[in-house]
Amino acid sequence: MTTIRRTTAEALSHEDLQALVEGTALAVHIPGFIHPEALASAREKLFDHPDRGGLSQDTTFQRIGFAYSEISDLASRDRYHSEARANIQRMRDIFSPYASPSDVLRLLLEETWKTGANLLHVEGRKAFIGICRYQDKDVDLNPHTDALERNLPTDHSVELTAQLSANIYVNIPRTGGELELWGTEPGEEAYNDLKGERVWGLERDQLGPPREVIKPAPGDLLFLNPRQIHAVRPSGDEPRITLGHFLGYYGADRPLGLWS
């Protein structure tokens, strides 16, 4: 039976992440990953940040930075990579004088994973990591899966054997905003069959109840397998603000690739 592992940044292990890949853990939860003072300072800046804008696919969802999932053509691909370093620096500036949680996460993964962790390289260009995502009041993040391959160049050689995500929670609404996990990984063909004519995501009534429902606290870090179906319930009052990161798994003896 899959479980939720709860640990600390100091105790996080290679085996914790491997358990997500192998399906023996549904999530790895690290409470209090961001120091409370850093969290309070950044939240004040993030609520009304001038660089906040809508996702290309659905402007209902807001973000600071440019997500890999927004790549749809050569121009957007060039934009993603050309802005990557500036977007990383922007998040450092927002958290200054404290360390950016995304930088702390990158160091933690480098130290924890036996062969280390590096920024993802695609066609010789580095990825951005540390996108800030907003889910405003009454916005429903429907059940869905995430897959890097949907946005890679068509001629890119894909060696990825699994994909993980690491979400750092900056603000959580008092009501709503729970993460739902179904623990099922349908694969791309089966997922597209479930999706049907929908542009994005699935209907909850197609799936039955989730296996687990988690409500993280502000400052927490949560790892999961985003190729398994997951969703976020609508926020009832305040926006749900997270820093989103993906981890590419190429095998237990190879470094992780990181991007947002």
Side-chain angles (χ1 to χ4, degrees):
M1 180 180 293
T2 54
T3 61
I4 296 173
R5 295 189 178 199
R6 288 184 172 84
T7 186
T8 64
E10 295 79 7
L12 180 71
S13 69
H14 180 105
E15 290 71 26
D16 287 327
L17 300 177
Q18 191 71 39
L20 291 173
V21 172
E22 295 170 356
T24 56
L26 200 57
V28 176
H29 184 192
I30 299 179
F33 181 74
I34 308 179
H35 191 282
E37 290 181 7
L39 187 66
S41 172
R43 282 166 70 180
E44 202 170 305
K45 300 173 189 175
L46 286 170
F47 270 106
D48 297 306
H49 199 280
D51 293 339
R52 176 176 170 175
L55 268 176
S56 306
Q57 314 96 300
D58 186 347
T59 55
T60 304
F61 296 95
Q62 304 276 300
R63 85 287 189 262
I64 298 174
F66 192 68
Y68 203 86
S69 63
E70 296 184 76
I71 293 174
S72 59
D73 54 23
L74 288 175
S76 56
R77 186 173 306 284
D78 184 66
R79 176 187 171 185
Y80 174 85
H81 289 291
S82 64
E83 293 180 2
R85 187 166 180 179
N87 282 331
I88 290 171
Q89 185 61 49
R90 179 183 290 113
M91 297 313 299
R92 288 181 181 143
D93 293 341
I94 288 170
F95 278 89
S96 179
Y98 303 96
S100 161
S102 298
D103 285 347
V104 176
L105 174 66
R106 287 169 62 184
L107 289 171
L108 177 63
L109 292 169
E110 168 65 28
E111 295 160 4
T112 299
W113 192 251
K114 291 177 181 177
T115 49
N118 308 300
L119 289 177
L120 179 74
H121 288 64
V122 180
E123 298 180 326
R125 307 178 78 183
K126 291 183 180 179
F128 161 53
I129 192 167
I131 194 166
C132 182
R133 301 177 300 191
Y134 298 80
Q135 186 177 342
D136 285 323
K137 184 176 180 289
D138 298 329
V139 174
D140 190 0
L141 182 55
N142 291 323
H144 66 286
T145 65
D146 299 294
L148 173 67
E149 292 86 349
R150 295 170 190 163
N151 302 93
L152 283 170
T154 53
D155 59 349
H156 186 78
S157 175
V158 179
E159 300 176 343
L160 210 65
T161 57
Q163 180 173 329
L164 304 179
S165 67
N167 296 304
I168 300 173
Y169 297 87
V170 177
N171 195 69
I172 295 292
R174 288 182 292 272
T175 60
E178 296 89 351
L179 173 67
E180 300 173 300
L181 302 173
W182 275 265
T184 57
E185 186 171 345
E188 199 69 1
E189 186 175 343
Y191 177 71
N192 287 329
D193 288 343
L194 282 169
K195 190 171 67 170
E197 297 301 314
R198 287 175 60 93
V199 174
W200 184 88
L202 311 173
E203 296 290 350
R204 281 180 174 81
D205 59 13
Q206 292 175 266
L207 304 172
R211 182 176 298 179
E212 291 281 355
V213 178
I214 308 171
K215 185 156 186 178
D220 289 2
L221 165 63
L222 195 74
F223 294 95
L224 56 90
N225 175 357
R227 298 195 184 203
Q228 294 181 351
I229 297 171
H230 58 289
V232 178
R233 293 175 181 171
S235 300
D237 45 16
E238 298 179 355
R240 185 180 190 269
I241 305 175
T242 64
L243 304 180
H245 319 78
F246 287 116
L247 289 60
Y249 174 85
Y250 302 89
D253 58 348
R254 294 184 59 186
L256 300 171
L258 310 176
W259 76 95
S260 288

